[in-house]
Amino acid sequence: MAPRPHSVLFCCDYNAVRSPLAEGIMKSLYGHEIYVQSAGVKHDIEVDGFAVAVAAELGITLEKHRARSFDEMQEWGDDLGGYDLIVALSPAAQRHAQELTRYNAVDVEFWPVLDPTGLGENREDKLSAYRQTRDQILQHIRDRFG
């Protein structure tokens, strides 16, 4: 297990499912020790309702999460080079994070996590897929940060 960073940015494609779940879980476990944020390569949609539902099952509130992109973060003055660790939860986010931080001493890790969007035929099937994603993220966080 690597030492704990002081700041972590989780990222995925849209900042609507995987990265908000990771941000919420990480804040619930380490929010007093580690500064945590999330972003997406794009910002076309808001936080997914199924992600909100499966987070709530763990007592984590995502209803107020505002999806944002890397570009918006930079426009608002959030320096990506200021993070100790960027965790990409999709290949596109990994490429984008590496490109944006190529001149900074920022570690970028890739955690392969299931994208549950579009899976399942009914509500229970969809929730099951989202729970699987949530649980994968939770396990990655526990493995990485203790």
Side-chain angles (χ1 to χ4, degrees), residues 3-144:
R4 285 190 189 157
H6 297 287
S7 57
V8 176
L9 175 69
F10 289 99
C11 56
C12 63
D13 295 341
Y14 293 97
N15 194 222
V17 178
R18 291 171 285 181
S19 55
L21 278 169
E23 177 184 351
I25 292 167
M26 186 76 172
K27 282 181 175 177
S28 75
L29 296 173
Y30 305 102
H32 296 290
E33 303 169 44
I34 301 171
Y35 177 74
V36 183
Q37 290 295 312
S38 65
V41 174
K42 303 173 196 164
H43 168 229
D44 297 340
I45 55 178
E46 289 301 323
V47 68
D48 185 292
F50 287 108
V52 170
V54 299
E57 292 174 352
L58 298 181
I60 298 167
T61 304
L62 293 185
E63 287 92 353
K64 295 180 183 177
H65 177 79
R66 186 198 177 287
R68 62 187 182 156
S69 67
F70 284 115
D71 292 340
E72 286 174 316
M73 287 182 68
Q74 291 178 312
E75 287 170 17
W76 300 336
D78 200 349
D79 178 18
L80 296 178
Y83 287 90
D84 296 323
L85 174 64
I86 298 176
V87 176
L89 303 171
S90 73
Q94 179 187 23
R95 286 189 301 278
H96 206 73
Q98 289 172 330
E99 177 67 24
L100 290 172
T101 61
R102 68 178 176 235
Y103 301 112
N104 303 100
V106 177
D107 290 330
V108 177
E109 294 180 8
F110 174 63
W111 296 355
V113 173
L114 171 74
D115 179 0
T117 59
L119 298 178
E121 296 296 317
N122 57 46
R123 179 174 172 74
E124 266 318 303
D125 290 345
K126 289 180 183 299
L127 283 170
S128 178
Y130 279 74
R131 286 181 188 115
Q132 183 179 350
T133 296
R134 176 201 64 201
D135 295 346
Q136 285 178 351
I137 292 168
L138 179 59
Q139 189 60 54
H140 277 292
I141 288 173
R142 286 182 173 152
D143 290 347
R144 174 63 169 83

